Amino acid sequence: MTRYDRRDLGLLLLRLGTGGVLAAHGAQKLFGWFGGHGIEGTGQFMESVGYVPGKASATAAGLAETGGGTLLALGLATPAAGAAAAGAMAGAAAVHTPNGFFAQEGGYEYAATLALTAAGLAVTGPGRLSLDHLLGHAVNRSWMLPAAFAATAAGTVLVIGARARRLRKAKEGEQDPLFEEEYLE
């Protein structure tokens, strides 16, 4: 097996694993599959963490994860697929950031790992064992990578920024307790 064959096989494994996980998470949001809550339940959750309107946010996140993940797994439109998935995971990471880094504490570790892997695949390309290669890279041109990341970054910054403003505004006027409960007993 040549070095290039190994590289292509490695990219295929990364694409299948990362794309499959992303697609499954998106299917939970969109269809309620794999123990998910579907659009309604996910929309309610999205509202509760500041992504408003919740149903539209759930749909956007579900489509980015399912579509981006499926396209990554297939190695089709890899720049757009990786950028969309990375953007969705940046939104998830924003929710988990207050809990620190590690996932066992509810942190953003998992979302960041999926985002970086999807972004890395978009930058690296799908390899020769992909639909992009089979189709002559018709939807994987060199200009598509910066365009996909620029569009995704702009949208992600707007959505996460709007969420942060909503959360700050909701917190305004709240007062921390003067005494801890344990001292009041």
Side-chain angles (χ1 to χ4, degrees):
M1 185 179 281
T2 71
R3 182 176 68 144
Y4 294 108
D5 293 336
R6 288 177 38 208
R7 179 184 172 274
D8 292 325
L9 184 58
L11 287 170
L12 174 65
L13 293 171
L14 275 171
R15 288 193 347 261
L16 290 174
T18 304
V21 167
L22 286 162
H25 276 282
Q28 287 180 312
K29 291 172 181 65
L30 293 176
F31 312 117
W33 295 353
F34 313 116
H37 299 287
I39 292 292
E40 291 298 325
T42 304
Q44 291 171 5
F45 171 75
M46 293 291 222
E47 290 257 353
S48 77
V49 296
Y51 287 116
V52 177
K55 204 170 180 179
S57 298
T59 301
L63 288 173
E65 291 173 16
T66 303
T70 300
L71 291 172
L72 273 177
L74 295 171
L76 181 62
T78 305
M89 290 298 98
V95 171
H96 295 283
T97 296
N99 300 323
F101 179 71
F102 291 105
Q104 73 261 24
E105 301 295 325
Y108 63 93
E109 169 188 18
Y110 186 62
T113 299
L114 287 173
L116 289 170
T117 305
L121 286 166
V123 170
T124 303
R128 291 181 296 172
L129 302 173
S130 66
L131 289 179
D132 274 339
H133 182 75
L134 184 68
L135 299 173
H137 297 279
V139 287
N140 183 20
R141 303 283 182 208
S142 59
W143 63 268
M144 292 176 180
L145 182 67
F149 275 105
T152 299
T156 301
V157 165
L158 289 173
V159 169
I160 292 174
R163 173 186 179 263
R165 285 188 297 280
R166 275 191 293 280
L167 294 176
R168 271 195 308 278
K169 187 173 182 175
K171 196 157 178 80
E172 285 176 5
E174 287 182 15
Q175 183 176 343
D176 290 331
L178 294 175
F179 302 99
E180 298 293 325
E181 278 190 42
E182 63 188 61
Y183 296 113
L184 296 176
E185 295 174 355

